[in-house]
Amino acid sequence: MRKWSIDEMPNFWNVLKGSMSLVGPRPLVRDEAELIGLENPRFTVKPGITGMAQVHGRDSIGLNERTAWDERYVAERSTRLDVAILARTVRTVFSTPGNEDHEE
């Protein structure tokens, strides 16, 4: 279930309710949020089901790198970027770990 991200399906309800977006920084646990600080730009947008950090490393990158990707997303966000992230998400979820493409 985790390999194919099926456990993310309930988050689509949150998107429909308006508390999440399809694309944006992933929600953090309280300890992570406190580490990066609540004044971080990532907290100025709705959290998303997928984001730049997910398509550039998914679970294999640390908090600092995820935060950098999230900050970049906030600075560069656009409809075009969201569509690109959604397309890469599909590729990333359905690729095997050794086949992930890490281009920027």
Side-chain angles (χ1 to χ4, degrees):
M1 207 160 97
R2 180 70 208 136
K3 178 183 178 185
W4 299 106
S5 298
I6 294 170
D7 58 328
E8 297 293 340
M9 295 304 287
N11 280 327
F12 283 106
W13 176 248
N14 294 324
V15 172
L16 293 174
K17 288 188 332 185
S19 61
M20 285 183 82
S21 295
L22 286 175
V23 179
R26 291 286 299 158
L28 297 176
V29 295
R30 176 179 230 108
D31 290 344
E32 290 176 326
E34 289 173 357
L35 277 173
I36 67 168
L38 297 177
E39 70 285 344
N40 189 285
R42 75 177 319 282
F43 296 112
T44 63
V45 298
K46 285 183 185 180
I49 294 176
T50 188
M52 288 183 77
Q54 284 63 47
V55 298
H56 288 95
R58 207 169 175 193
D59 298 326
S60 66
I61 59 176
L63 180 60
N64 289 337
E65 191 172 354
R66 283 186 290 149
T67 300
W69 283 116
D70 292 340
E71 290 170 353
R72 182 172 171 184
Y73 172 76
V74 172
E76 298 176 8
R77 69 187 175 143
S78 66
T79 302
R80 183 178 181 169
L81 179 59
D82 286 356
V83 169
I85 290 170
L86 288 169
R88 283 197 64 181
T89 297
V90 171
R91 259 192 359 227
T92 300
V93 168
F94 291 109
S95 69
T96 57
N99 291 338
E100 284 189 33
D101 147 32
H102 294 286
E103 69 187 45
E104 290 184 35

